[in-house]
Amino acid sequence: MPDLPTVSPDMMGSLKTLGQISEFLTNPADAAAASSQTDGGLTNIAPAVAKDGLNISDRKKSPQPAPDTATVQRKVVTIIDAPAVTASPIKVGPNKKVFVTEDNTGLSEQIVEELTRIGIGTVRISLDILKYKKQLPAAAGLIIVQNPQSNQTVQDLKNAFVLAKYLAPNLIDATHQGDALFATVTRIDGAFGLTCQKNNQPAQGGLAGLAKTAALEWPNVCCHAIDIAPGWSDNHEIAGAVVKEVLTPGPVEIGLDSGRRRTLGLESRPYPEGQINLASGDVVVISGGARGITAAAALALAKEAGPTLVLLGRSPQPVAEPEWLSPLTDETAIKKAILDNEFKDHKATPAEIDKAFKAHMANREVAANLADIKSSAADVVYYDADIRDFETVQTVINDIRSKHGSIAAIIHGAGVLEDRLIIDKTLDQFERVFDTKVKGLDNLLQAAAKDHLKYLVLFSSVAARMGNKGQVDYAMANEALNKMAQDEALKRPDCRVIAINWGPWDGGMVSPALKREFQRNGIHLIPVTEGVQCLLHEMAAGKSEPVEVVIGAEITAAGDHVRRELKRPELVEPTPAVKKQQLSLSFEREVDVAHYPILNSHIIDGQPVVPMALITEWFAHSALHENPGLILHGLDDIRILKGIRLKTGKKWIRIFAGKLKKNGEFYEVAVELRGSKETGQDVIHSRARAILSDRLVPAPPYQFSKAMIAGAYTKNIQDVYDEILFHGLQLRGIRKIVSCSSRGMVAHISSAPEPREWISSPLRDRWIADPLVLDCAFQMAILWCFEEKETVSLPSYVTSFRQYRHQFPAEGVTAVLEVTEATSRKMWGNFTFLDTNDEIVARLTGFKAIMDPSLFKAFNPQYKASA
């Protein structure tokens, strides 16, 4: 966060907790005012304070203002006729495939034929092909065509995400040698559900959220969400129109009918006026709990209509606070009391204390909010329930019905976030987010199928309308909700159905990092008091008002999905070093051969040693972990200060990272790896600077000729590993030494297998760089030193590593070592890693290795003895 405000000396003394520091850095004016009214306690833990920081009792004392349309805009989605395609088509590389998923209607087959006819290699595949094949050929395109007769639409959406994630590195890499495309094809109504009279598969609309998010995360890939009118039945004509669209940059969302082409826009509308059709005692079920935004919405509705509110949340049922806790409001005092009262029998870790503290504060917040709602003369009941579980939801709804009567309204506000880029997100993370929204709604509707609803209000998101980096699951889920709302409105003519695509609230789930991403896209935050009034106005509207509305999202050109051209960003030179700074713990791990079986292949002098290549992967992860939306461009000043030897069989290591610093067009994060001596003192094993970027930087032109390194290499690679190098089977990635001379070496190298083959619990499910490629580069240096200097070496320093792909090619690389200088003790050189087309994948410059004859024995005692 390079633009944080300066903390003045007079403020420093008042910022005594992490909560106060965070509040000051994100909202300095409010925090400064608050600091003058507090004695240093954590002001947002008072008994009647909600998670969003607003005092619920204070809300009740003042009248609720009408929405301020200057700051909280209301827009509706409109259909716009789009002109005929006139832009120049993209050009897919000749050696890459375009995959088209089977839809079982003949359309996929026609699309394949049309692409093949114009010279693009195309393959038809099943949507769930990855269940049966572990690898697919390199691709430059993916077109996901939804089967309109499918009876498992939700599973289809999950399979679409998995397939897009798998092929993402291929599509991104393809843009270095030509163009790439990604498209989703649905058959709702040719207008994404806005004119639909019948929709058997409303959730298929979630595919558009996938395409819109991909367009933001993969800026050089031509992305489209295409919706076909179901009445258009000529698959040959449809295929021609689809192919024309997917090969042409333009609006992401395109609706197609015979002779008609449309896209979607947003139009400002005033807030509707009217009366909420709820009587005192009507039962309103609200998912999303009794904290934060949903608590604020529940209170506003309680004051407006006085219904019986039933809140469903993940927090446990509130219980009476223990006597030792109830008078305390200061965080430090609370944590000390927790330590004294709940951890008498064993020594508590800071994480355990923090977990207990959060549980108590959640209990306090839920209890206070429920009490405040009751004080407004409305009945309120709270159930702790996982809305993803149908049996649980059905039991709760039946219990509500038996005690309070039929359900009059459902407000589905539940949601969780697991922000990761498509390329990094796991299926478990995707499902947790997606199922909370989509399965949660389906469970509520099924359980309340007997009830005559007056209202069905869905909390959707502007991420569904626009897409959002890191939120493909949230965008897809909420876009599915939008279309499910359209469908429910058709089925329930007497019910006011609303899908509110909320912009980000100034509270709730919006973290500072996510807040920064929304601001970059021109989206302003919704004040909580204004937002709940917007909700009441939408509920007061007549049934003729649009189902799908966008509130609070001031969409600027930065959020426009019109791609007029696919730009290749220019290469930017590395930036100067960051100044020394304080570092924070990023993660810690116990390292042993049980958790890291790869170490069995990296034994030096009889002991497992952590490879430098694995350390660079840890550094990359720690830098990216707290900076979602950025990608690794490289590492600078990688220093090995003390090797990590597992003398006792295991080692506890910690990775630290500094604050994100903007430096020119890149960001820098200082990273450091520490261990502990037997005395308990810290020892620094390695440090570096991670270079991050918000876009993929194209590789520089390749200038070095492999012909400059003459001299065929005659040794068998198996003999090299058995007699010279020390590396075990899993690290034997050099397939062939092409040539070796005093000027350097050329070799063909394999890429690393999936992380789980090396590590029992990997940090990620794919490598950020490629530790096998890097380790093999260092092996090449050892071998060069052996052949040219008759000794061996170990790496000690790298000036700069730059990566120009999201992922190294699965088929491996050609590594070119250029030796720039060599003495009897040291060797310096540069590595260039090339794909099969001799395009640069990555470069490692300023590499230094230390040569030492004593390493012969450590590497290979048998070789030393025979020598």
Side-chain angles (χ1 to χ4, degrees):
M1 300 173 68
D3 301 318
L4 288 177
T6 301
V7 183
S8 60
D10 59 315
M11 279 299 300
M12 188 69 72
S14 67
L15 302 179
K16 298 184 178 181
T17 70
L18 291 175
Q20 292 169 342
I21 294 169
S22 175
E23 178 64 21
F24 175 78
L25 294 178
T26 54
N27 199 347
D30 289 352
S35 70
S36 64
Q37 303 171 11
T38 177
D39 60 358
L42 188 62
T43 57
N44 67 337
I45 315 180
V49 175
K51 184 178 179 181
D52 55 25
L54 298 175
N55 189 296
I56 293 182
S57 298
D58 289 346
R59 291 192 194 116
K60 286 184 60 182
K61 295 175 184 177
S62 58
Q64 299 294 336
D68 181 0
T69 55
T71 57
V72 187
Q73 298 184 21
R74 178 182 188 261
K75 297 183 179 183
V76 299
V77 184
T78 59
I79 303 169
I80 302 170
D81 284 326
V85 176
T86 57
S88 300
I90 63 173
K91 296 180 180 179
V92 177
N95 299 321
K96 302 287 186 178
K97 299 291 185 184
V98 172
F99 292 114
V100 180
T101 65
E102 177 60 71
D103 75 327
N104 295 320
T105 70
L107 177 57
S108 296
E109 185 177 356
Q110 290 291 322
I111 292 173
V112 170
E113 288 185 9
E114 182 64 17
L115 287 168
T116 304
R117 184 185 67 79
I118 60 177
I120 297 175
T122 312
V123 179
R124 192 156 36 118
I125 60 173
S126 65
L127 186 59
D128 60 353
I129 190 171
L130 293 177
K131 291 181 180 179
Y132 314 106
K133 286 192 174 184
K134 290 186 177 181
Q135 288 189 330
L136 297 176
L142 173 62
I143 303 174
I144 296 173
V145 187
Q146 176 61 22
N147 178 358
Q149 279 87 45
S150 174
N151 59 3
Q152 54 166 27
T153 309
V154 168
Q155 185 58 49
D156 290 343
L157 294 179
K158 294 178 181 180
N159 290 340
F161 158 73
V162 170
L163 188 56
K165 168 190 166 64
Y166 176 86
L167 290 176
N170 281 188
L171 302 184
I172 294 166
D173 287 348
T175 62
H176 297 286
Q177 302 152 21
D179 291 312
L181 64 92
F182 175 72
T184 61
V185 180
T186 54
R187 286 189 171 184
I188 303 176
D189 62 351
F192 297 94
L194 296 182
T195 65
C196 190
Q197 296 303 311
K198 183 180 180 182
N199 188 355
N200 295 326
Q201 277 189 7
Q204 68 177 300
L207 283 175
L210 172 58
K212 287 183 281 191
T213 299
L216 295 173
E217 294 188 14
W218 313 335
N220 293 332
V221 178
C222 187
C223 296
H224 289 286
I226 300 171
D227 188 42
I228 308 295
W232 190 12
S233 58
D234 188 331
N235 281 339
H236 180 72
E237 285 186 8
I238 297 172
V242 168
V243 169
K244 194 172 185 180
E245 289 295 339
V246 300
L247 293 176
T248 308
V252 173
E253 292 176 300
I254 286 292
L256 296 175
D257 201 345
S258 181
R260 193 172 190 186
R261 181 174 184 263
R262 296 183 287 183
T263 188
L264 301 183
L266 291 174
E267 182 180 300
S268 295
R269 296 277 180 87
Y271 283 92
E273 300 290 341
Q275 295 293 322
I276 292 180
N277 182 27
L278 287 174
S280 177
D282 278 354
V283 178
V284 179
V285 176
I286 303 178
S287 72
R291 303 171 63 195
I293 302 303
T294 48
L299 177 62
L301 188 59
K303 292 167 59 179
E304 181 73 17
T308 296
L309 298 177
V310 180
L311 309 183
L312 311 181
R314 292 172 294 165
S315 299
Q317 284 282 351
V319 296
E321 286 190 346
E323 292 183 3
W324 54 264
L325 176 62
S326 55
L328 304 178
T329 59
D330 176 75
E331 181 178 4
T332 302
I334 292 172
K335 287 187 173 180
K336 184 178 185 303
I338 290 171
L339 183 63
D340 293 340
N341 289 276
E342 295 188 354
F343 294 97
K344 296 178 180 179
D345 299 331
H346 73 281
K347 184 178 179 181
T349 66
E352 289 175 321
I353 296 172
D354 191 59
K355 182 179 180 180
F357 169 77
K358 289 178 178 177
H360 281 300
M361 293 306 97
N363 180 77
R364 176 177 288 186
E365 185 180 337
V366 170
N369 289 347
L370 295 178
D372 206 68
I373 293 171
K374 288 179 181 178
S375 70
S376 68
D379 290 332
V380 61
V381 185
Y382 178 77
Y383 289 84
D384 57 309
D386 183 351
I387 62 169
R388 296 172 298 176
D389 182 74
F390 175 70
E391 291 186 2
T392 299
V393 173
Q394 188 175 47
T395 300
V396 168
I397 295 296
N398 289 341
D399 188 57
I400 293 167
R401 217 184 268 115
S402 65
K403 293 179 179 177
H404 305 283
S406 62
I407 313 301
I410 293 175
I411 300 176
H412 182 38
V416 295
L417 296 178
E418 289 278 2
D419 290 355
R420 299 286 190 281
L421 297 175
I422 293 170
I423 207 167
D424 292 324
K425 194 181 297 285
T426 67
L427 180 59
D428 286 344
Q429 292 165 342
F430 179 95
E431 288 185 324
R432 182 167 179 260
V433 175
F434 187 90
D435 288 349
T436 300
K437 283 288 183 185
V438 178
K439 194 173 182 179
L441 173 62
D442 191 54
N443 288 341
L444 288 169
L445 292 176
Q446 284 191 56
K450 301 176 182 178
D451 300 285
H452 184 75
L453 298 181
K454 297 179 181 180
Y455 288 97
L456 176 60
V457 182
L458 309 183
F459 277 28
S460 182
S461 169
V462 69
R465 176 87 309 273
M466 297 172 59
N468 195 38
K469 280 185 179 180
Q471 292 193 322
V472 65
D473 38 18
Y474 204 60
M476 291 178 70
N478 284 297
E479 190 71 314
L481 250 60
N482 290 338
K483 308 316 168 191
M484 293 168 76
Q486 298 280 5
D487 185 55
E488 290 298 321
L490 293 172
K491 297 175 181 176
R492 304 172 185 268
D494 296 329
C495 177
R496 170 68 172 134
V497 181
I498 324 162
I500 304 177
N501 289 243
W502 293 109
W505 293 71
D506 196 2
M509 297 186 294
V510 180
S511 65
L514 184 56
K515 193 179 294 188
R516 185 169 69 247
E517 184 64 25
F518 274 122
Q519 289 169 346
R520 285 180 54 198
N521 284 288
I523 305 171
H524 300 292
L525 301 180
I526 303 171
V528 175
T529 52
E530 297 280 347
V532 295
Q533 283 302 299
C534 296
L535 169 65
L536 298 182
H537 277 262
E538 290 300 330
M539 292 182 67
K543 298 179 183 65
S544 61
E545 283 290 326
V547 171
E548 193 174 335
V549 296
V550 180
I551 289 180
E554 184 181 336
I555 299 174
T556 64
D560 188 3
H561 283 296
V562 177
R563 182 160 293 99
R564 294 172 177 84
E565 58 177 325
L566 300 173
K567 297 182 179 180
R568 307 289 197 267
E570 296 300 321
L571 175 68
V572 181
E573 291 301 317
T575 51
V578 294
K579 294 180 179 179
K580 187 175 181 180
Q581 56 179 275
Q582 288 189 333
L583 308 179
S584 301
L585 180 65
S586 178
F587 66 91
E588 52 189 341
R589 287 288 185 277
E590 184 178 66
V591 178
D592 57 23
V593 293
H595 294 93
Y596 289 80
I598 185 61
L599 298 181
N600 282 316
S601 292
H602 204 259
I603 306 292
I604 300 178
D605 203 14
Q607 298 173 353
V609 177
V610 176
M612 183 180 184
L614 190 57
I615 292 173
T616 61
E617 194 73 22
W618 288 342
F619 281 163
H621 173 81
S622 66
L624 292 171
H625 184 64
E626 294 298 331
N627 297 292
L630 299 180
I631 61 175
L632 180 75
H633 181 44
L635 292 162
D636 282 352
D637 294 333
I638 310 171
R639 298 177 184 272
I640 299 297
L641 305 174
K642 183 176 178 59
I644 305 176
R645 294 175 177 267
L646 306 187
K647 295 180 180 179
T648 60
K650 62 179 62 177
K651 187 97 172 176
W652 192 261
I653 60 99
R654 293 167 293 153
I655 306 291
F656 290 79
K659 283 174 51 176
L660 188 72
K661 297 286 187 181
K662 186 73 182 291
N663 200 332
E665 295 189 49
F666 294 113
Y667 299 87
E668 297 187 351
V669 178
V671 287
E672 194 169 273
L673 189 158
R674 301 178 193 170
S676 298
K677 296 180 179 179
E678 293 180 359
T679 60
Q681 293 177 310
D682 269 5
V683 55
I684 299 174
H685 289 284
S686 181
R687 60 163 61 108
R689 296 195 325 273
I691 311 301
L692 308 183
S693 176
D694 57 6
R695 54 181 169 75
L696 200 63
V697 177
Y702 179 56
Q703 298 176 336
F704 177 76
S705 171
K706 287 179 286 185
M708 292 177 63
I709 300 180
Y713 192 72
T714 58
K715 285 189 176 71
N716 179 280
I717 196 64
Q718 186 66 43
D719 294 339
V720 167
Y721 276 114
D722 290 344
E723 299 176 3
I724 303 173
L725 300 175
F726 63 87
H727 302 76
L729 187 62
Q730 285 187 296
L731 285 175
R732 296 188 174 190
I734 300 177
R735 298 197 300 261
K736 180 181 180 181
I737 305 295
V738 178
S739 60
C740 178
S741 74
S742 60
R743 302 182 67 177
M745 180 181 288
V746 178
H748 296 320
I749 293 176
S750 298
S751 292
E754 293 182 348
R756 64 174 176 268
E757 295 189 29
W758 281 15
I759 305 167
S760 62
S761 299
L763 294 165
R764 294 171 179 247
D765 62 359
R766 71 172 188 89
W767 300 112
I768 300 171
D770 191 309
L772 182 57
V773 168
L774 294 183
D775 196 80
C776 286
F778 305 150
Q779 295 173 33
M780 290 170 63
I782 295 172
L783 192 54
W784 185 91
C785 292
F786 176 84
E787 299 293 353
E788 297 296 325
K789 297 295 182 178
E790 298 183 348
T791 186
V792 287
S793 63
L794 283 176
S796 68
Y797 177 73
V798 173
T799 302
S800 175
F801 170 71
R802 289 292 181 268
Q803 186 167 319
Y804 304 102
R805 308 280 179 90
H806 282 288
Q807 196 169 6
F808 274 64
E811 61 270 21
V813 297
T814 296
V816 180
L817 165 62
E818 301 170 67
V819 176
T820 57
E821 185 179 350
T823 67
S824 60
R825 300 284 298 184
K826 298 177 183 178
M827 181 270 272
W828 291 265
N830 302 320
F831 289 93
T832 304
F833 305 103
L834 308 170
D835 65 12
T836 54
N837 296 315
D838 282 349
E839 297 286 340
I840 295 181
V841 175
R843 293 203 73 195
L844 192 150
T845 57
F847 168 80
K848 182 172 75 172
I850 304 298
M851 292 182 272
D852 189 338
S854 68
L855 289 172
F856 272 118
K857 184 177 180 180
F859 279 14
N860 194 334
Q862 291 183 346
Y863 180 88
K864 179 63 178 175
S866 63

